[in-house]
Amino acid sequence: PSVKRGADYGGAHPDLIDDSYHCITLHDTASEDGFAIYVLPETLRYMKLPRRTMMLTVANEDMAPTFRPGDIAIYDPRVTTITTNGVYVLLLRGQFIVRRVQKKNLEITLTGENSSVLPIEIPAKDLTGSPDDDSKLQVVGRVIGKISVGNV
């Protein structure tokens, strides 16, 4: 594999990044732009994570105690439709959120694990795979794991 030079990566050490690494993006709730974490394919296989894994830093208590502020939700961005109940990363009105999703017939129910978060019921037709439609809820990915930060 060819080694990329530091100038190509904003001054990163040139010997640490090459074509054999996979990039995982870690972002916050305001944007999909974030920080790059480079890992070897063997690391992803060992952790049982897909190649295109992404991570979101949780900002609030909506999903506590499962996710607390600062925890990192690991998600699979290839999953952009809700086919099964589970925990998903969603884009709602320009903000990334983590919610437990239940699909019932033609409705989707979004719930937080924190009892102060009221469930939201939306028609399944209001889901979109397009990031261009701010008026609808976009499924960004299915949560497949977490990293607890500061909750020892």
Side-chain angles (χ1 to χ4, degrees), residues 1 5 38 40 42 47 66 69 80 98 100 116 120 125 144:
R5 295 293 148 216
Y38 291 91
L40 290 167
E42 299 83 44
M47 296 175 71
T66 303
T80 57
V98 177
R100 186 163 300 282
S116 68
I120 300 171
K125 67 179 176 55
I144 56 176

Side-chain angles (χ1 to χ4, degrees), residues 6 10 13 40 42 63 133:
H13 193 283
L40 290 167
E42 299 83 44
M63 287 295 289
D133 193 347

Side-chain angles (χ1 to χ4, degrees), residues 41-93:
E42 299 83 44
T43 304
L44 291 176
R45 279 194 296 276
Y46 178 78
M47 296 175 71
K48 297 179 175 60
L49 296 175
R51 181 176 179 199
R52 292 202 175 152
T53 297
M54 292 187 73
M55 298 181 183
L56 170 71
T57 302
V58 175
N60 56 41
E61 294 273 347
D62 291 356
M63 287 295 289
T66 303
F67 290 95
R68 298 196 182 278
D71 285 352
I72 297 170
I74 303 168
Y75 68 94
D76 184 348
R78 299 173 302 172
V79 180
T80 57
T81 59
I82 296 171
T83 55
T84 61
N85 296 340
V87 179
Y88 290 82
V89 173
L90 308 163
L91 184 60
L92 180 63
R93 294 182 205 100

Side-chain angles (χ1 to χ4, degrees), residues 22-42:
H22 294 294
C23 179
I24 297 175
T25 301
L26 170 62
H27 64 96
D28 62 20
T29 57
S31 170
E32 211 169 26
D33 296 331
F35 302 97
I37 300 170
Y38 291 91
V39 297
L40 290 167
E42 299 83 44

